[in-house]
């Protein structure tokens, strides 16, 4: 899947629109070195949490942020630590790399698989508002982006 521009992609099957605690695994590439976005707990196209991972050409390079979108407008943001040491080589060499999001309650943990195959923590966000306790998981962006998804899997609790 190639994602260009703004918008989101969510499952069409209603059976996959109601995740509470989950693990998402995705293998992505940032050909423009800009950013990739993951929509989590989407109630609909205007109400969801967005987790964004940036490359080296973004306004805030090698960062992870989490944003609540309410009624189609960004509403609050949590900025995580730099991810440079974990994903810089993959981004600069235009390689695919695995991103994992684990959601439990209103806490979202983000990981990236390093070149040795180990999961490295990128940080976590806690949405104290808990506006979206259940919803769909997909890809998306609020800004013009360009990224590729090689695979995308969502599991209840933890993927085995």
């Amino acid at each position: 899947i190639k994602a260009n521009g703004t918008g989101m992609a969510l499952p069409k099957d209603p059976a996959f629109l109601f995740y509470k605690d989950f693990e998402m695994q995705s293998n992505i590439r940032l050909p423009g070195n800009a950013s990739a976005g993951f929509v989590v707990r989407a109630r609909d196209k205007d109400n969801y949490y967005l987790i964004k991972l940036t490359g080296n050409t973004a306004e805030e390079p090698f960062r992870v942020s989490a944003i609540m979108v309410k009624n189609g407008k960004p509403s609050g943001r949590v900025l995580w630590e730099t991810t440079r040491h974990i994903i810089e080589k993959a981004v600069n060499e235009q390689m695919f790399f695995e991103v994992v999001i684990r959601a439990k309650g209103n806490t979202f943990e983000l990981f990236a698989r390093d070149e040795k195959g180990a999961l490295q923590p990128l940080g976590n966000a806690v949405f104290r508002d808990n506006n979206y306790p259940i919803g769909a998981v997909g890809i998306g962006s609020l800004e013009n982006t360009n990224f590729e998804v090689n695979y995308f899997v969502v599991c209840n609790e933890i993927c085995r």
Side-chain angles (χ1 to χ4, degrees), residues 78-160:
V78 177
L79 188 64
W80 289 330
E81 301 294 320
T82 181
T83 61
R84 180 179 304 274
H85 66 289
I86 298 172
I87 67 166
E88 183 174 27
K89 181 177 182 198
V91 169
N92 288 340
E93 294 182 10
Q94 301 291 291
M95 299 172 10
F96 278 93
F97 61 97
E98 186 177 45
V99 174
V100 175
I101 298 173
R102 291 183 180 151
K104 184 132 181 108
N106 59 347
T107 301
F108 297 85
E109 297 177 297
L110 186 74
F111 303 87
R113 198 165 300 280
D114 66 18
E115 55 191 36
K116 295 178 182 173
L119 277 181
Q120 299 294 327
L122 298 179
N124 64 59
V126 177
F127 286 98
R128 303 210 186 280
D129 59 74
N130 204 23
N131 278 332
Y132 311 125
I134 192 166
V137 180
I139 60 173
S141 180
L142 292 171
E143 60 198 31
N144 204 6
T145 191
N146 177 21
F147 67 100
E148 296 176 12
V149 179
N150 190 20
Y151 68 80
F152 184 90
V153 176
V154 182
C155 306
N156 287 317
E157 301 290 330
I158 302 291
C159 297
R160 305 269 176 224

